[in-house]
Structures are given as C-alpha cells and as structure tokens.
C-alpha cells in the first residue's frame, strides 16, 4: 500500500507538468464540438477573414476588409459578408452528408501557419479531413484542401458551392471553361451588388486536382437559384483508398479594384496555375516571417498558447502595404459594424508598431488618407484643424449611430490618432515619412486642440463637454484622459516641427502648458470635473502614466491604481482596462499583482471551444482584438519593459511573476532586436 500511495503522490506532483506538455503552443484543438456553445475562430490574411462553423464543410462568415455599405443597423455604413466561396456539399453513395452523420469531429487551429483543419468520420463509409487557408501572400485568395479515405468501396460526389449572403442583391452566376493544351480551367463565379448598389462584390473558385492534365474528373455545373450555384464531380474509391483535391478561390470588390468581376477570375486563375504546393510554400514562408516577431514565455504553457493566439489574431486582422485599419472585432465578423475606433490607435496599434512597424504603417495610412474628411468634420463643429470621427469606416466621415453621444463628443480620438503618428516616427526614425505623412496629421490635430480649448486664465485652458475615455461619463468637463492626450498631441506636434525645421505654432506650447489635470482632495487624479467616486466602464486616469507619460511619479501611479482598480465592475466592461493595471504594476515592480490583473484581463472572457476572447466577461461577441492588443501591451511594455521614446525603443525596469522563468521578445522594431527579462 505504501508503494501505491507513493506512486499516486508522484503522479499528483507530475500531473500539472504532464498536462502542460499537452498544451501545444501553436495549436488549439477542439475535440468536443457543441453547436449550441460554439464561437468560431477566424483564419485571415489581413484582407479576407473566414470564420469557422461547427457544421461540416461550412463556414460562418467571409469578411473582407474595407467593404462597407449602409443597410440595416443605425443608418450608417456597415461591414458586409462576402460570398461563401468555401462552402461544400459531399455526397457518398448518393446520400448527402450532414452534421448528424458526422461523428468524432475534431477541429484545430494551427496558428503558426494560419490554417484550420476539421476531421470527422462519416457513418461507416469514410474518414474526411479538410483544411482551409486565407493565403498570406495573396490578399484576396483562399485555399481549401480536402482528403477522403474510404473505409469500404464508395462513390463520392463533392460539390464546391458558391452562395451569396442575404444582404446582397442582383446576384449573377457564371460558369466558365478555358481550354489550353496544358490545362483546362473551370471557374465557378458570382457577382452581386451591395444593399444600396454602391459596391460590386465578386468571387470565383476552381478545383485543383492532382491527376495529370486530361485525366481529371469531369466537372458538372449546376444552377440552383439566384443566390447559389455549384460545380461537382464524382469519383469511385476502393476500401482503404485516399483521394485528395483542393478548391482555390478569390473574393474582391469594387472597393478594392475597378473591375472586380474579371479580377476575381484572374486572381483565381493565377492561384490555380501557381499550383497547390507553391501556394502553400509561399503562405508558410510569409507566416514564418511574421513569427520572427514573437513573445516567448518560459514556465507557463497555457499562457504561451493564449499569447500566441492574441498575436495570431492581430497579425491576421492587419496587413502591410494597405490603408486599412482593424475594427474592434477585426475580420471575425460584423461586430461594431466593422468601424474603426480608438481601439486601433490606443490598444492594437502599439503592439503592432513594435513587433511589425510595416504593418503599423498601414493603420496610420488609413487615417492619413481620411485627413480631409477630418478637416471638414472640424469645420462643421466650429473648430480649426482636423477632428477625426469617433467611428470611421470607408470614407472617414463620422459613422457613429446618432443614439450614441460618443460621435459628437468623444474628441480624444483626434489626439489618439496624432499620437499614434508620432509614435510611428519614434520607432522608425523615418523623417521622410514624418514630413510627408506624420506632420500633416500632427499639425492639423494640434490646431484642433488650440481651437477646442476654452481659455479661462492661466492653468485653465479647459476642454469642456466631452465623452470621457470612460464612456459612462458623458458631457463632462476636463476629462483626465482627453486633457492629457491633447497635451501630448500639442507637445508632439511642436517636437515634430523642430525636427523637420518647420515653424511651430507658438500657441501649441501655451495651450499644452495650461490644460489642467485635476486632482481630488485625497490626492487621486480626478477623472473629470464632476467625478465623485462612481464606477467606471474602462481605463481613463490610469492611461496617463502609460501610454501618455503625463504622470510619472511612482507614488502617484500607485495611488491612482489602488483607487480606480476598485471602481471597475466585475461584468459588462471591456477587457482592456485590467491589462493596463497589469502593465503598470509590472513596471512598478509588483510582478504578482501584475500577474493577477494580467489573468483577469482575459481569462474570464474566453469562450469555447478555441479560447477566443469576448469583449466582456460572459460576453458572446468574439474576437475582441482590442482586448488582445491591450493584453499584448501588458506583456511587451509591462512585463517586457519596452518603451517608445523619441530616440527609438528602449527598455525600462519591470518585474515578472514568480511562475514565469523568463520572457523573451523577438523581432522588435526596424532592427528586429531581441529583449529578455528573467
């Protein structure tokens, strides 16, 4: 008995380690698929997002960056679903496969190479596996590999289905065959208008067979109704035989190209003739390059997997070489209408900026291209310079639904945009970019604040009647975050002028010096002039030490932290605030308190089966990229101590939790440096 007890004792000791070894840092596996409690995970390449479904051979959404039209919600522009170009049907011996006939289903997200694989058994006939990719090297193109292994002699009939979402109208379907001596191309193509007719959306797919030219299966096209058509083939398999094929397709709109119908087919033909192996090779190479910028945690396997998931989603939702910017839910669906908020500049952007400046550049370019709309917005409100909209979509005009007061009043967004532009220069030291792109944003935003303040005497250049960063505080005066962000914006604009040899507006410095940051009688920084200790929705005062650096004294940072961390309710608030608490405590040297808030920032928000982050505890609207951005900042700038300064990226003191042996951050900044904390 003593030996048995000793063995059980050893197993209990080893169990956490054995469990940890089963947590793959790069793969999230769902063994039990419950359609009633299923929150899909997204495979995306910064342009096209594919959201998973619990139903075999179906995807929930196909979302394209930058595609908006007015329909349904709020009389404002909304994200659109594009064609479901990866849906399939599979008949085996003439019987249609459905969810009930599929057993032992398993789904797996490979974050290292951005693929999603589903496997299942179909009755006693076959084992089925399919994997899809949103190809990183081809922004508008997707690929799906299908493998069917017969358990007995069967005949399979797979069909590639092209289906238009209900919101699209005037759907037209085409089937084209192009014959060449070396290849026959068969294209399943659809086009449709967006709800108002403003946009044309198009998609095209083709089969990729492994058989030599002339020996491929015969493909049949079937027209079902105006919203759906398909192409299919049949193949007889012997018991034990495995048959593999692929579907490649492209989706593009008139928001991206002047001739989207022909371009969708051209892009599909290009991918088809690149061939399967080259498509996957270049896709994998692109992701290998992205992952050179990584966060590695030694000693906490589950956190390592979670952090890879956060990085994976931020990388998936953004892309270098564009002028697109991610919404709070990225490309994971239609949440927040796909609009762009401060979520980008304050929460997602800083992590991308230090890890991949070339991607961050796209996010600032989005704002630069909409600067003229911001100037008109300022003019409409009686101000000078540029006033960026709280919710931005395709054109850069204000897109906030009128019932939300944040549209006319949440003005800190203008400073958030300008400070993001300055930080791009700080990290890259690119003066040419600063002159051509950064300066127009910085100076126009500074002019806005100089006209926005009300000059009521020294130390009282007040900013009145705003919605605070804590959005439960509406139409308040002298909000801490708004005032501090405006102050920093004005100082950064003056610094940029000096660097570039431009004449700075002398009024900027005067205004910056006189914008007040209020305090309560107990010495705590006051959130706004009428604040008296009530609960807050999200971080506001605690953003003044980071990212704004307006409060720098450790004693004041601690005082504000200990006060406001008790004002956040347990439910109904977004995930970013606790991440800022974690970041500040790590910098203050309290690794354990930092770890508590780090875990609190996302673990209660995880939903099954892929541990994707919902916006709030108990929430149901993943994936919340804003929260992921905040949490990654707690790792990079908190535990990792990275600091963005006018001279580039430096490292300040920080403290890890006892559970972590080390934190290694690779590929940082333009020089791809490595930083470590032990």
């Amino acid at each position: 008995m003593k030996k048995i007890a000793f063995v059980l004792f050893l197993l209990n000791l080893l169990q956490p380690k054995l469990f940890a070894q089963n947590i793959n840092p790069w793969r999230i596996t769902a063994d039990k698929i419950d359609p009633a409690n299923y929150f899909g995970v997204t495979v995306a390449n910064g342009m096209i997002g594919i959201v998973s479904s619990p139903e075999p051979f179906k995807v929930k959404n196909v979302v394209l960056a930058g595609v908006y039209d007015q329909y349904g919600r709020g009389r404002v522009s909304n994200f659109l679903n594009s064609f479901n170009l990866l849906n399939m049907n599979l008949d085996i011996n003439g019987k249609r496969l459905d969810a009930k006939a599929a057993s032992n289903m398993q789904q797996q997200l490979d974050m290292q190479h951005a693929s999603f694989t589903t496997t299942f058994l179909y009755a006693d006939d076959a084992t089925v596996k399919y994997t899809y990719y949103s190809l990183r090297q081809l922004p508008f193109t997707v690929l799906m590999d299908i493998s069917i292994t017969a358990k007995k002699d069967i005949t399979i009939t797979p069909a590639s289905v092209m289906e238009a979402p209900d919101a699209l109208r005037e759907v037209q379907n085409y089937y084209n065959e192009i014959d060449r001596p070396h290849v026959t191309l068969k294209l399943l193509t659809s086009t449709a208008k967006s709800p108002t007719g403003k946009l044309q959306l198009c998609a095209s797919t083709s089969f990729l067979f492994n058989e030599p030219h002339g020996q491929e299966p015969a493909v049949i096209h079937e027209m079902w109704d105006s919203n759906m058509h398909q192409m299919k083939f049949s193949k007889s398999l012997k018991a034990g035989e495995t048959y593999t094929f692929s579907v490649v397709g492209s989706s593009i709109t008139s928001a991206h190209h002047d001739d989207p119908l022909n371009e969708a087919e051209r892009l599909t033909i290009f991918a088809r003739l690149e061939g399967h192996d080259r498509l996957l090779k270049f896709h994998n190479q692109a992701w290998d390059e992205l992952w050179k910028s990584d966060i590695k945690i030694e000693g906490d396997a589950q956190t390592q997997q979670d952090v890879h998931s956060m990085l994976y989603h931020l990388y998936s939702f953004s892309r270098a070489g564009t002028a697109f910017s991610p919404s709070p839910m990225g490309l994971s669906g239609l949440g927040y209408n796909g609009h762009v908020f401060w979520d980008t500049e304050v929460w997602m952007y800083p992590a991308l900026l230090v890890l991949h400046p070339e991607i961050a550049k796209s996010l600032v370019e989005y704002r630069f291209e909409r600067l003229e709309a911001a100037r008109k917005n300022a003019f409409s409100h009686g101000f000078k310079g540029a006033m960026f909209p709280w919710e931005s979509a395709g054109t850069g005009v204000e897109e906030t639904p009128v019932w939300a007061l944040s549209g006319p009043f949440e003005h800190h967004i203008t400073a958030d945009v300008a400070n993001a532009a300055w930080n791009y220069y700080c990290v890259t030291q690119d003066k040419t970019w600063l002159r051509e792109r950064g300066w127009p944003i910085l100076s126009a935003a500074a002019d806005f604040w100089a006209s926005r303040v009300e000059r009521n005497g020294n130390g009282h250049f007040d900013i009145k009647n705003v919605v605070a960063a804590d959005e439960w505080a509406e139409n308040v005066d002298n909000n801490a975050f708004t005032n501090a962000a405006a102050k920093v914006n004005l100082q950064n604009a003056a610094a940029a002028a000096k660097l570039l040899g431009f004449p700075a507006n002398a009024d900027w410095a005067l205004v910056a010096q006189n914008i007040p940051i209020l305090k309560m009688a107990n010495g705590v920084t006051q959130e706004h002039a009428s604040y008296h200790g009530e609960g807050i929705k999200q971080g506001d005062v605690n953003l003044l030490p980071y990212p704004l650096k307006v409060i720098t004294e450790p004693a004041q940072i601690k005082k504000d932290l200990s006060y406001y961390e008790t004002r956040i309710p347990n439910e109904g608030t977004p995930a970013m605030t606790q991440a800022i608490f974690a970041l500040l405590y790590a910098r203050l040297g309290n690794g354990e308190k930092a770890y508590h808030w780090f875990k609190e920032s996302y673990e209660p928000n995880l939903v099954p089966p892929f541990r994707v982050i919902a916006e709030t505890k108990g929430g149901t609207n993943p994936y919340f990229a804003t929260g992921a951005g905040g949490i990654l900042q707690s790792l990079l700038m908190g535990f990792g101590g990275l600091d963005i300064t006018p001279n580039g990226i430096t490292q300040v003191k920080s403290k890890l939790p006892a559970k972590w042996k080390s934190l290694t951050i690779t590929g940082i900044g333009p020089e791809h440096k490595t930083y470590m904390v032990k």
Side-chain angles (χ1 to χ4, degrees):
M1 287 296 293
K2 287 183 179 179
K3 285 184 177 179
I4 293 171
F6 181 69
V7 169
L8 289 172
F9 171 73
L10 282 177
L11 284 173
N12 283 332
L13 283 178
L14 289 170
Q15 188 177 12
K17 292 183 179 179
L18 291 170
F19 178 72
Q21 288 171 355
N22 290 330
I23 299 173
N24 189 309
W26 293 108
R27 291 181 180 155
I28 302 173
T29 302
D31 293 304
K32 295 178 181 177
I33 309 296
D34 177 8
N37 194 25
Y38 182 97
F39 299 86
V41 72
T42 307
V43 168
N45 62 7
M47 188 65 72
I48 183 168
I50 308 162
V51 186
S52 70
S53 165
E55 191 176 348
F57 284 122
K58 297 291 184 287
V59 298
K60 181 185 176 186
N61 302 93
V62 177
V63 182
L64 281 169
V67 183
Y68 301 94
D69 196 15
Q70 284 195 13
Y71 69 103
R73 299 160 293 177
R75 298 202 319 259
V76 294
S77 292
N78 298 297
F79 247 6
L80 289 167
N81 281 320
S82 186
F83 288 95
N84 290 331
L85 72 170
L86 286 184
N87 283 353
M88 287 193 65
N89 292 326
L90 177 62
D91 296 349
I92 296 184
N93 292 333
K95 185 177 180 181
R96 176 67 45 85
L97 181 153
D98 59 22
K100 293 178 182 177
S103 62
N104 290 15
M105 180 179 280
Q106 182 186 87
Q107 293 184 323
Q108 184 179 87
L109 173 70
D110 178 353
M111 298 178 286
Q112 194 167 20
H113 289 128
S115 66
F116 186 81
T117 298
T118 300
T119 58
F120 58 89
L121 299 177
Y122 177 58
D124 60 351
D125 295 322
T127 300
V128 180
K129 174 182 178 181
Y130 63 91
T131 302
Y132 57 73
Y133 314 81
S134 187
L135 295 172
R136 188 74 196 190
Q137 78 278 25
L138 298 176
F140 300 101
T141 303
V142 298
L143 173 71
M144 183 160 71
D145 294 333
I146 302 97
S147 174
I148 301 168
T149 300
K151 298 172 75 175
K152 59 184 182 183
D153 292 358
I154 57 173
T155 298
I156 62 169
T157 305
S160 175
V161 180
M162 181 75 75
E163 192 171 5
D166 291 339
L168 303 189
R169 61 184 183 84
E170 297 180 29
V171 180
Q172 297 181 42
N173 298 319
Y174 305 92
Y175 179 71
N176 298 325
E177 291 193 6
I178 302 171
D179 284 318
R180 291 290 187 274
H182 65 296
V183 67
T184 300
L185 300 164
K186 300 177 182 184
L187 300 170
L188 187 74
T189 303
S190 290
T191 181
K193 295 288 188 182
S194 63
T196 70
K198 178 178 76 171
L199 294 176
Q200 183 182 11
L201 292 82
C202 306
S204 183
T205 62
S206 182
F207 284 124
L208 264 172
F209 294 117
N210 293 319
E211 291 90 342
H213 175 52
Q215 299 177 31
E216 308 99 328
V219 174
I220 298 170
H221 176 242
E222 292 182 344
M223 190 77 73
W224 285 73
D225 58 37
S226 61
N227 282 354
M228 192 267 280
H229 63 138
Q230 67 179 30
M231 57 182 178
K232 66 181 185 179
F233 67 92
S234 293
K235 184 83 175 178
S236 295
L237 305 180
K238 297 290 185 183
E241 185 180 356
T242 298
Y243 185 72
T244 62
F245 65 98
S246 303
V247 175
V248 67
S250 301
S251 186
I252 194 167
T253 79
S254 55
H256 309 105
H257 195 277
D258 290 340
D259 182 14
L261 177 57
N262 286 320
E263 188 66 7
E265 292 193 339
R266 291 188 196 102
L267 290 172
T268 299
I269 292 169
F270 177 82
R272 165 77 173 76
L273 293 180
E274 275 283 88
H276 175 272
D277 292 350
R278 283 171 59 81
L279 291 175
L280 266 194
K281 173 186 172 183
F282 294 133
H283 169 79
N284 290 340
Q285 284 178 355
W287 273 96
D288 289 341
E289 195 64 30
L290 284 173
W291 283 116
K292 287 180 180 178
S293 298
D294 193 9
I295 299 172
K296 300 172 185 177
I297 298 169
E298 185 184 5
D300 192 343
Q302 184 58 69
T303 299
Q304 177 66 84
Q305 186 193 70
D306 292 339
V307 169
H308 275 158
S309 179
M310 296 169 204
L311 286 168
Y312 161 81
H313 280 92
L314 249 63
Y315 291 169
S316 294
F317 294 160
S318 52
R319 189 178 184 90
T322 74
F324 293 124
S325 192
S327 76
M329 303 302 174
L331 296 172
S332 70
L334 309 184
Y336 283 106
N337 298 338
H339 291 175
V340 179
F341 301 70
W342 78 317
D343 301 56
T344 302
E345 280 79 16
V346 173
W347 300 105
M348 292 181 258
Y349 172 82
L352 288 169
L353 177 58
V354 298
L355 291 161
H356 281 288
E358 75 283 1
I359 293 178
K361 187 178 185 180
S362 293
L363 278 54
V364 189
E365 184 66 18
Y366 170 85
R367 296 295 191 180
F368 175 79
E369 290 194 356
R370 290 154 183 81
L371 179 57
E372 191 54 39
R375 291 186 190 278
K376 291 178 180 177
N377 195 28
F379 174 79
S380 297
H381 289 82
F383 303 125
K384 294 180 180 177
M387 175 181 169
F388 283 93
W390 177 243
E391 296 190 32
S392 182
T395 64
V397 302
E398 183 61 74
E399 297 271 12
T400 305
V402 294
W403 53 260
L405 299 185
S406 47
F409 296 107
E410 198 155 354
H411 295 172
H412 67 78
I413 182 65
T414 294
D416 301 335
V417 171
N419 294 335
W422 173 248
N423 283 337
Y424 180 80
Y425 164 74
C426 290
V427 168
T428 64
Q429 301 290 299
D430 186 343
K431 280 190 181 180
T432 301
W433 180 90
L434 182 64
R435 182 180 296 106
E436 295 175 356
R437 291 292 200 264
W439 171 254
I441 294 172
L442 280 159
S443 57
D447 287 341
F448 167 76
W449 292 114
S451 69
R452 177 67 176 82
V453 297
E454 298 177 29
R455 306 183 188 220
N456 298 313
N458 288 343
H460 294 284
F461 282 25
D462 303 307
I463 302 176
K464 294 188 175 184
N465 199 20
V466 299
V467 170
D470 163 24
E471 290 175 329
W472 288 348
E474 295 181 328
N475 301 102
V476 298
D477 298 340
N478 287 326
N479 165 240
F481 180 76
T482 303
N483 284 20
K487 204 184 257 279
V488 171
N489 180 177
L490 289 156
Q491 292 165 346
N492 290 341
K498 186 176 180 181
L499 265 172
L500 296 170
F502 292 165
N505 185 340
D507 195 37
W508 295 346
L510 176 67
V511 174
Q513 290 164 10
N514 284 285
I515 293 176
I517 305 296
L518 307 180
K519 282 192 178 182
M520 295 187 282
N522 59 6
V524 171
T525 305
Q526 189 174 13
E527 188 184 89
H528 54 82
S530 52
Y531 180 78
H532 298 296
E534 54 269 26
I536 63 174
K537 178 185 176 184
Q538 58 202 41
D540 192 301
V541 166
N542 303 111
L543 297 170
L544 271 61
Y546 176 90
L548 296 178
K549 303 182 185 178
V550 169
I551 294 176
T552 57
E553 285 296 320
Q556 186 66 50
I557 297 170
K558 286 179 187 176
K559 185 186 286 281
D560 292 344
L561 266 175
S562 62
Y563 185 86
Y564 285 104
E565 71 184 9
T566 65
R567 265 70 185 174
I568 301 288
N570 284 329
E571 293 184 2
T573 60
M576 311 93 73
T577 301
Q578 291 87 347
I580 286 296
F581 295 164
L583 186 155
L584 294 176
Y585 274 119
R587 285 189 167 196
L588 289 169
N590 192 335
E592 298 316 305
K593 196 105 185 240
Y595 184 70
H596 162 77
W597 286 115
F598 172 78
K599 288 293 191 180
E600 191 69 17
S601 70
Y602 78 94
E603 283 193 337
N605 301 59
L606 298 176
V607 293
F610 302 105
R611 296 177 69 86
V612 298
I613 300 174
E615 182 178 7
T616 59
K617 298 175 186 179
T620 57
N621 59 339
Y623 184 89
F624 191 45
T626 308
I631 298 155
L632 290 172
Q633 286 185 71
S634 76
L635 287 158
L636 294 162
M637 289 78 165
F639 295 113
L642 300 185
D643 199 38
I644 297 171
T645 78
N647 298 315
I649 298 170
T650 62
Q651 191 174 28
V652 299
K653 285 185 179 180
S654 60
K655 184 73 172 177
L656 297 184
K659 184 173 184 178
W660 297 354
K661 295 178 183 177
S662 68
L663 175 70
T664 305
I665 306 168
T666 61
I668 293 298
E671 297 173 349
H672 310 293
K673 290 183 177 179
T674 294
Y675 294 85
M676 179 180 280
V677 181
K678 290 189 176 181

